[in-house]
Amino acid sequence: MVATSSDQKDLEGNGGNANVSSAVQAAVGFATPALTGRRTWPIKNPKAEVPSWFEIVSPYRYVSAGDAPMKFIHGRNDSLVSPDEAIDLHAKFKQAGVHSEIELLKGKGHVFYMNEQVVMKAIGFFKKVFKD
């Protein structure tokens, strides 16, 4: 959400920081639930009603040209949040002209990112984005 919603004034809240930008410079998503509208987490039942909050918390709905560069790292075997969520959000970033990368990890499920190897992938992305 932080990579896509900085231009959404109705999400700013009233924390007393209205003069401070909510924009981030880059982001990495691990097993990202993009809430694209596919029937994956949190609504797998094809007959279930979509709750009213769904659209509000969907980073997919807010993608625009001014968003932060993003890297998605997702397990190919994720049965909780479908890798299609990251694939769809990555495509939406590309369509908007925003730098985006995706890495689908073979043989990995949902909780794959609690190790140094994956953290180094994120750090490598940040180093590449901030090289200047």
Side-chain angles (χ1 to χ4, degrees):
M1 279 296 291
V2 298
T4 63
S5 65
S6 66
D7 59 346
Q8 301 298 313
K9 299 302 177 207
D10 54 331
L11 297 178
E12 286 297 316
N14 56 4
N17 298 309
N19 61 337
V20 178
S21 173
S22 295
V24 297
Q25 295 176 337
V28 174
F30 302 104
T32 305
L35 305 178
T36 62
R38 288 180 180 268
R39 290 303 175 144
T40 182
W41 185 93
I43 308 167
K44 288 191 175 192
N45 182 343
K47 296 179 183 177
E49 186 175 332
V50 175
S52 60
W53 54 261
F54 190 88
E55 292 287 324
I56 296 168
V57 301
S58 167
Y60 186 79
R61 305 291 180 239
Y62 298 113
V63 173
S64 63
D67 289 342
M70 181 95 183
K71 177 170 181 143
F72 301 95
I73 305 174
H74 209 112
R76 285 191 184 274
N77 297 349
D78 191 334
S79 61
L80 182 63
V81 177
S82 170
D84 290 334
E85 291 282 297
I87 291 167
D88 290 351
L89 189 52
H90 168 66
K92 188 128 182 193
F93 268 74
K94 297 303 258 182
Q95 181 182 17
V98 178
H99 178 81
S100 179
E101 299 177 10
I102 189 165
E103 187 169 353
L104 300 173
L105 303 178
K106 186 177 178 181
K108 300 294 182 184
H110 185 66
V111 183
F112 62 84
Y113 44 84
M114 304 296 278
N115 62 69
E116 185 176 350
Q117 181 182 13
V118 174
V119 170
M120 292 310 292
K121 291 176 184 289
I123 291 171
F125 175 73
F126 290 128
K127 283 182 174 181
K128 182 164 73 172
V129 169
F130 299 126
K131 67 182 175 198
D132 293 329

